[in-house]
Amino acid sequence: MAPTFNVYTGEPAGGEVPAAAQLGLEPPRYCAECGRRMIVQVRPDGWEAKCSRHGVQDSKDLEERR
């Protein structure tokens, strides 16, 4: 399923992606499914983002899918 919202701005999908995010330096701040602001914890080895409705997303999980 395609994301409905931009994970960096919270606006409808297709918006501009910040330069830091394009370089992989910025974690997602908004849920791709509902657009809500997420709680983000940045670690030395990646990040973890939690949406109150859709659960936890971890950078390690995304790297495994590549």
Side-chain angles (χ1 to χ4, degrees):
M1 181 163 86
T4 307
F5 294 91
N6 184 315
V7 297
Y8 302 106
T9 64
E11 297 174 1
E16 188 174 322
V17 177
Q22 291 176 2
L23 295 172
L25 303 174
E26 183 71 23
R29 302 289 179 177
Y30 296 87
C31 178
E33 294 182 48
C34 65
R36 293 177 186 272
R37 186 127 172 106
M38 296 190 292
I39 298 170
V40 179
Q41 177 69 47
V42 178
R43 306 180 307 254
D45 66 338
W47 50 262
E48 179 181 273
K50 181 179 179 184
C51 174
S52 61
R53 299 263 169 110
H54 298 103
V56 177
Q57 218 180 19
D58 195 296
S59 60
K60 289 181 182 179
D61 296 337
L62 296 177
E63 289 174 11
E64 290 174 4
R65 288 189 223 163
R66 290 184 193 181

